[in-house]
Amino acid sequence: MSQVPLRPMYHNAAFLAAGAPVWDIRKSFGETDMLVRDGARGKSLAETLGDKSVVLMRGHGDVTVGPSVPLAVFRAYYTDIDAKLQSQAIALGGGDINYLTPEEGAKADTVNLAVLDRVWNLWKLRVAPTLAK
């Protein structure tokens, strides 16, 4: 909804250092209900995503991808956290924001991928008690 690109604020969102393109459904399909309802829209969204992990959808949200469900969920969760942190940093003012560099992002993402199972298992432990109710 703004022209401010989403950038990585901290190590868990390091995958954002590769970029997060914005897909605007209106550019190719006119005014719609904002939903990806057919193959043509899905293809357009996928083309905008390209080789990135996240694509922002103007007026709708975002899509995250990964080679596994745990990684896609990790990216979805930390994309949201990162966006909130970036918004807060911008609102604070006071000069330039010190984002992660592409090199820092690549290095931190390597570590995140190595510990993903630990994070995923912790999340499952937190959710398990609510499933019994």
Side-chain angles (χ1 to χ4, degrees), residues 33-112:
D33 60 7
M34 308 302 290
L35 300 177
V36 180
R37 293 187 175 275
D38 56 44
R41 293 175 192 187
K43 182 178 179 184
S44 175
L45 177 62
E47 287 171 349
T48 301
L49 173 68
D51 65 349
K52 306 298 186 247
S53 301
V54 177
V55 61
L56 305 175
M57 301 167 70
R58 186 205 52 87
H60 188 86
D62 64 90
V63 170
T64 60
V65 297
S68 66
V69 169
L71 185 55
V73 170
F74 179 92
R75 289 173 174 167
Y77 181 81
Y78 286 111
T79 296
D80 183 60
I81 299 294
D82 191 85
K84 290 175 184 171
L85 289 173
Q86 184 174 345
S87 175
Q88 291 169 348
I90 291 168
L92 284 171
D96 293 336
I97 298 169
N98 194 0
Y99 298 103
L100 270 63
T101 66
E103 186 176 350
E104 287 174 319
K107 288 179 178 182
D109 202 34
T110 298
V111 173
N112 289 337

Side-chain angles (χ1 to χ4, degrees), residues 112-125:
N112 289 337
L113 293 173
V115 299
L116 178 63
D117 287 341
R118 190 175 81 194
V119 174
W120 183 252
N121 288 330
L122 176 62
W123 287 345
K124 288 192 310 187
L125 286 172

